[in-house]
Amino acid sequence: MLVTNIEIIPGKRITKHLGLVQGSSVRAKHIGRDIMAGLKNIFGGELKGYTELLQESREEATERMIQQAEAVGANAVLNVRFSTSSVAAGAAELFAYGTAVVLE
Amino acid sequence: MADLTIFMVLLALGYGFGRYAELKHYKSIIRREKEFRDIPAVTTKFPPLSKAVDAELVSGSVVISVDYFKRFIAGLRNLIGGRVTAYELLLDRARREAILRMKEEARAFDGHIIFNVKLETSSIHKGRKNGVGAVEVMAYGTVLIKQ
């Protein structure tokens, strides 16, 4: 499965458009990470726990998007975009969407 | 009195550690930016159509927090208005770090250029009184790999 955020792949032709596919994942942070983050708020610096957490959930969102693309019979997802929104206090939604296509 | 002491200690800790962390981070950013100069990241959407290439989505992200001292200074800024340098520097560090992480991933793929780079910023951990606690910056783009 080819996943990119450009609209055309050099050297490959799109034979069929299959429409929008999407995947999302909502995650909450756990208390241990919150305590570490509290400390970091005093000293400044990177919050590694959060970086990993968001990375994992973004991967999961992408994974779900790819599953959807496979289900409609695509072999590539083009023009992928990511978006983040905080749904409730302490939880964030990571969302990935793109266009499923068949490349020759 | 005890409250004031704790506050002063936190300010001093924040100033000391925060300054040290920032200087160290900037040094490492500048060093790695030189190292990754051979992989340009561009915002153009359309790659040249001349040669067949492989494409792969790459991304880099970072969550970074401002220290206690800077948050206090930014709070004071709120009273008189103007540029909040403390937060400007925080966002600058986060964006450059995210781009560097994206380039690291691109190098792992043996790519030579990254197209359609997008940067996304969100404030994820709200501090007390809804102040900025930490920002997340994500950079993503498509790396082209010579076949």
Short mmCIF file of all heavy atoms in Angstrom, two decimals, chain A residues 24-61:
data_model
loop_
_atom_site.label_atom_id
_atom_site.label_comp_id
_atom_site.label_asym_id
_atom_site.label_seq_id
_atom_site.Cartn_x
_atom_site.Cartn_y
_atom_site.Cartn_z
N SER A 24 -9.40 7.12 12.49
CA SER A 24 -9.17 8.01 13.63
C SER A 24 -8.91 7.20 14.88
O SER A 24 -9.20 6.01 14.95
CB SER A 24 -10.34 8.95 13.83
OG SER A 24 -11.32 8.34 14.61
N SER A 25 -8.36 7.85 15.87
CA SER A 25 -8.05 7.18 17.12
C SER A 25 -8.11 8.21 18.23
O SER A 25 -7.57 9.31 18.11
CB SER A 25 -6.66 6.55 16.98
OG SER A 25 -5.97 6.57 18.19
N VAL A 26 -8.85 7.91 19.28
CA VAL A 26 -8.95 8.83 20.42
C VAL A 26 -8.19 8.22 21.59
O VAL A 26 -8.43 7.08 21.95
CB VAL A 26 -10.42 9.07 20.81
CG1 VAL A 26 -10.50 10.05 21.98
CG2 VAL A 26 -11.22 9.60 19.65
N ARG A 27 -7.29 8.97 22.14
CA ARG A 27 -6.46 8.44 23.23
C ARG A 27 -6.51 9.38 24.42
O ARG A 27 -6.59 10.59 24.27
CB ARG A 27 -5.01 8.34 22.79
CG ARG A 27 -4.76 7.34 21.72
CD ARG A 27 -4.39 6.01 22.32
NE ARG A 27 -4.25 5.03 21.25
CZ ARG A 27 -3.16 4.31 21.07
NH1 ARG A 27 -2.13 4.46 21.86
NH2 ARG A 27 -3.10 3.44 20.09
N ALA A 28 -6.42 8.79 25.58
CA ALA A 28 -6.28 9.60 26.79
C ALA A 28 -4.91 9.32 27.38
O ALA A 28 -4.36 8.24 27.20
CB ALA A 28 -7.37 9.23 27.79
N LYS A 29 -4.38 10.31 28.06
CA LYS A 29 -3.07 10.11 28.68
C LYS A 29 -3.26 9.46 30.04
O LYS A 29 -4.29 9.65 30.68
CB LYS A 29 -2.38 11.45 28.80
CG LYS A 29 -3.26 12.50 29.42
CD LYS A 29 -2.76 13.89 29.11
CE LYS A 29 -3.63 14.87 29.86
NZ LYS A 29 -3.66 16.19 29.39
N HIS A 30 -2.27 8.69 30.49
CA HIS A 30 -2.44 8.10 31.81
C HIS A 30 -1.72 8.90 32.88
O HIS A 30 -0.89 9.75 32.59
CB HIS A 30 -2.10 6.61 31.83
CG HIS A 30 -0.64 6.29 31.72
ND1 HIS A 30 0.23 6.49 32.76
CD2 HIS A 30 0.07 5.77 30.70
CE1 HIS A 30 1.42 6.11 32.38
NE2 HIS A 30 1.37 5.67 31.13
N ILE A 31 -2.07 8.60 34.11
CA ILE A 31 -1.71 9.49 35.21
C ILE A 31 -0.20 9.62 35.41
O ILE A 31 0.30 10.68 35.72
CB ILE A 31 -2.44 9.05 36.51
CG1 ILE A 31 -2.36 10.12 37.59
CG2 ILE A 31 -1.93 7.73 37.03
CD1 ILE A 31 -3.68 10.79 37.84
N GLY A 32 0.53 8.51 35.19
CA GLY A 32 1.98 8.55 35.36
C GLY A 32 2.61 9.57 34.43
O GLY A 32 3.47 10.36 34.83
N ARG A 33 2.13 9.56 33.20
CA ARG A 33 2.66 10.50 32.23
C ARG A 33 2.30 11.93 32.62
O ARG A 33 3.06 12.86 32.38
CB ARG A 33 2.10 10.19 30.85
CG ARG A 33 2.90 9.09 30.17
CD ARG A 33 2.23 8.66 28.91
NE ARG A 33 3.13 7.82 28.14
CZ ARG A 33 2.73 6.97 27.21
NH1 ARG A 33 1.45 6.83 26.96
NH2 ARG A 33 3.58 6.26 26.54
N ASP A 34 1.13 12.08 33.23
CA ASP A 34 0.67 13.40 33.65
C ASP A 34 1.58 13.98 34.72
O ASP A 34 1.87 15.17 34.71
CB ASP A 34 -0.75 13.30 34.19
CG ASP A 34 -1.70 14.12 33.36
OD1 ASP A 34 -1.28 14.58 32.28
OD2 ASP A 34 -2.85 14.30 33.78
N ILE A 35 2.03 13.11 35.64
CA ILE A 35 2.89 13.57 36.72
C ILE A 35 4.23 14.01 36.14
O ILE A 35 4.75 15.07 36.47
CB ILE A 35 3.07 12.45 37.77
CG1 ILE A 35 1.75 12.23 38.50
CG2 ILE A 35 4.17 12.81 38.76
CD1 ILE A 35 1.68 10.98 39.33
N MET A 36 4.77 13.19 35.22
CA MET A 36 6.02 13.55 34.56
C MET A 36 5.88 14.89 33.82
O MET A 36 6.76 15.74 33.87
CB MET A 36 6.43 12.47 33.56
CG MET A 36 7.16 11.31 34.16
SD MET A 36 8.58 11.81 35.12
CE MET A 36 9.65 12.41 33.82
N ALA A 37 4.74 15.05 33.17
CA ALA A 37 4.50 16.28 32.42
C ALA A 37 4.45 17.47 33.37
O ALA A 37 4.92 18.55 33.05
CB ALA A 37 3.20 16.17 31.63
N GLY A 38 3.89 17.26 34.56
CA GLY A 38 3.83 18.32 35.56
C GLY A 38 5.22 18.79 35.94
O GLY A 38 5.49 19.97 36.06
N LEU A 39 6.13 17.82 36.10
CA LEU A 39 7.52 18.15 36.42
C LEU A 39 8.17 18.93 35.28
O LEU A 39 8.84 19.92 35.49
CB LEU A 39 8.32 16.88 36.68
CG LEU A 39 8.13 16.23 38.05
CD1 LEU A 39 8.93 14.95 38.13
CD2 LEU A 39 8.54 17.18 39.15
N LYS A 40 7.92 18.44 34.07
CA LYS A 40 8.52 19.09 32.90
C LYS A 40 8.01 20.52 32.73
O LYS A 40 8.69 21.36 32.16
CB LYS A 40 8.21 18.28 31.64
CG LYS A 40 9.16 17.12 31.43
CD LYS A 40 10.50 17.58 30.92
CE LYS A 40 11.37 16.37 30.72
NZ LYS A 40 12.67 16.64 30.19
N ASN A 41 6.80 20.76 33.26
CA ASN A 41 6.25 22.10 33.16
C ASN A 41 7.06 23.09 34.00
O ASN A 41 6.98 24.29 33.79
CB ASN A 41 4.79 22.12 33.61
CG ASN A 41 3.87 21.84 32.45
OD1 ASN A 41 4.24 22.06 31.31
ND2 ASN A 41 2.68 21.37 32.74
N ILE A 42 7.80 22.58 34.97
CA ILE A 42 8.66 23.45 35.78
C ILE A 42 10.01 23.64 35.09
O ILE A 42 10.51 24.74 34.95
CB ILE A 42 8.85 22.87 37.19
CG1 ILE A 42 7.51 22.85 37.91
CG2 ILE A 42 9.88 23.67 37.97
CD1 ILE A 42 7.49 22.05 39.18
N PHE A 43 10.58 22.51 34.62
CA PHE A 43 11.94 22.56 34.07
C PHE A 43 11.98 22.89 32.58
O PHE A 43 13.01 23.29 32.07
CB PHE A 43 12.65 21.23 34.31
CG PHE A 43 12.79 20.88 35.75
CD1 PHE A 43 12.26 19.72 36.27
CD2 PHE A 43 13.46 21.73 36.62
CE1 PHE A 43 12.38 19.41 37.60
CE2 PHE A 43 13.59 21.42 37.97
CZ PHE A 43 13.04 20.25 38.45
N GLY A 44 10.90 22.69 31.89
CA GLY A 44 10.90 22.89 30.44
C GLY A 44 11.52 21.70 29.74
O GLY A 44 12.18 20.88 30.36
N GLY A 45 11.29 21.60 28.45
CA GLY A 45 11.90 20.51 27.67
C GLY A 45 10.86 19.60 27.04
O GLY A 45 9.66 19.83 27.16
N GLU A 46 11.36 18.56 26.41
CA GLU A 46 10.46 17.68 25.67
C GLU A 46 9.72 16.74 26.60
O GLU A 46 10.28 16.20 27.54
CB GLU A 46 11.26 16.86 24.65
CG GLU A 46 10.31 16.06 23.78
CD GLU A 46 10.99 15.10 22.83
OE1 GLU A 46 12.21 15.17 22.66
OE2 GLU A 46 10.27 14.28 22.25
N LEU A 47 8.44 16.51 26.31
CA LEU A 47 7.64 15.53 27.04
C LEU A 47 7.64 14.24 26.21
O LEU A 47 6.75 14.04 25.39
CB LEU A 47 6.22 16.05 27.26
CG LEU A 47 6.09 17.46 27.82
CD1 LEU A 47 4.63 17.87 27.89
CD2 LEU A 47 6.68 17.53 29.20
N LYS A 48 8.63 13.39 26.45
CA LYS A 48 8.81 12.20 25.60
C LYS A 48 7.60 11.28 25.64
O LYS A 48 7.22 10.71 24.62
CB LYS A 48 10.06 11.44 26.04
CG LYS A 48 11.33 12.20 25.70
CD LYS A 48 12.43 11.25 25.22
CE LYS A 48 13.63 12.01 24.71
NZ LYS A 48 14.30 12.83 25.76
N GLY A 49 7.00 11.15 26.82
CA GLY A 49 5.83 10.28 26.97
C GLY A 49 4.71 10.70 26.04
O GLY A 49 4.09 9.87 25.37
N TYR A 50 4.46 12.01 25.98
CA TYR A 50 3.39 12.51 25.12
C TYR A 50 3.74 12.35 23.64
O TYR A 50 2.88 12.03 22.83
CB TYR A 50 3.14 13.99 25.40
CG TYR A 50 2.30 14.25 26.62
CD1 TYR A 50 1.90 13.21 27.43
CD2 TYR A 50 1.90 15.53 26.94
CE1 TYR A 50 1.15 13.45 28.55
CE2 TYR A 50 1.14 15.78 28.07
CZ TYR A 50 0.76 14.73 28.88
OH TYR A 50 0.01 14.97 29.96
N THR A 51 5.01 12.60 23.32
CA THR A 51 5.43 12.46 21.93
C THR A 51 5.14 11.04 21.44
O THR A 51 4.57 10.84 20.38
CB THR A 51 6.94 12.76 21.77
OG1 THR A 51 7.22 14.01 22.36
CG2 THR A 51 7.35 12.80 20.33
N GLU A 52 5.54 10.06 22.30
CA GLU A 52 5.31 8.66 21.93
C GLU A 52 3.83 8.34 21.82
O GLU A 52 3.38 7.70 20.88
CB GLU A 52 5.94 7.73 22.98
CG GLU A 52 7.41 7.49 22.75
CD GLU A 52 8.09 6.97 24.00
OE1 GLU A 52 7.43 6.29 24.81
OE2 GLU A 52 9.28 7.26 24.18
N LEU A 53 3.07 8.81 22.81
CA LEU A 53 1.63 8.55 22.83
C LEU A 53 0.96 9.04 21.55
O LEU A 53 0.19 8.31 20.90
CB LEU A 53 1.01 9.24 24.04
CG LEU A 53 -0.49 9.10 24.22
CD1 LEU A 53 -0.82 7.76 24.83
CD2 LEU A 53 -1.03 10.21 25.11
N LEU A 54 1.29 10.27 21.16
CA LEU A 54 0.66 10.85 19.97
C LEU A 54 1.14 10.14 18.72
O LEU A 54 0.36 9.91 17.78
CB LEU A 54 0.96 12.33 19.89
CG LEU A 54 0.20 13.14 20.93
CD1 LEU A 54 0.78 14.51 21.08
CD2 LEU A 54 -1.27 13.24 20.55
N GLN A 55 2.41 9.74 18.72
CA GLN A 55 2.95 9.02 17.57
C GLN A 55 2.22 7.69 17.39
O GLN A 55 1.81 7.35 16.27
CB GLN A 55 4.45 8.77 17.83
CG GLN A 55 5.24 8.42 16.59
CD GLN A 55 5.40 9.62 15.68
OE1 GLN A 55 5.65 10.72 16.15
NE2 GLN A 55 5.22 9.41 14.39
N GLU A 56 2.05 6.97 18.51
CA GLU A 56 1.35 5.68 18.45
C GLU A 56 -0.06 5.85 17.93
O GLU A 56 -0.52 5.09 17.08
CB GLU A 56 1.26 5.06 19.85
CG GLU A 56 2.51 4.34 20.30
CD GLU A 56 2.49 4.08 21.80
OE1 GLU A 56 1.39 4.02 22.38
OE2 GLU A 56 3.58 3.97 22.38
N SER A 57 -0.77 6.84 18.46
CA SER A 57 -2.17 6.95 18.04
C SER A 57 -2.27 7.40 16.60
O SER A 57 -3.20 7.02 15.88
CB SER A 57 -2.98 7.87 18.95
OG SER A 57 -2.18 8.81 19.54
N ARG A 58 -1.29 8.18 16.14
CA ARG A 58 -1.31 8.60 14.74
C ARG A 58 -1.06 7.39 13.83
O ARG A 58 -1.69 7.26 12.79
CB ARG A 58 -0.24 9.65 14.53
CG ARG A 58 -0.56 10.55 13.40
CD ARG A 58 0.24 11.81 13.46
NE ARG A 58 -0.45 12.88 14.15
CZ ARG A 58 0.12 13.69 15.03
NH1 ARG A 58 1.36 13.51 15.37
NH2 ARG A 58 -0.57 14.65 15.58
N GLU A 59 -0.15 6.52 14.27
CA GLU A 59 0.10 5.30 13.49
C GLU A 59 -1.16 4.45 13.42
O GLU A 59 -1.48 3.88 12.38
CB GLU A 59 1.23 4.49 14.14
CG GLU A 59 2.59 4.83 13.55
CD GLU A 59 3.73 4.44 14.47
OE1 GLU A 59 3.59 3.43 15.20
OE2 GLU A 59 4.76 5.13 14.45
N GLU A 60 -1.88 4.39 14.56
CA GLU A 60 -3.10 3.60 14.57
C GLU A 60 -4.15 4.19 13.63
O GLU A 60 -4.83 3.47 12.89
CB GLU A 60 -3.66 3.53 15.98
CG GLU A 60 -4.66 2.39 16.14
CD GLU A 60 -5.15 2.28 17.56
OE1 GLU A 60 -4.31 2.31 18.47
OE2 GLU A 60 -6.37 2.18 17.74
N ALA A 61 -4.28 5.51 13.64
CA ALA A 61 -5.23 6.18 12.74
C ALA A 61 -4.87 5.88 11.29
O ALA A 61 -5.75 5.57 10.47
CB ALA A 61 -5.22 7.68 12.99
#
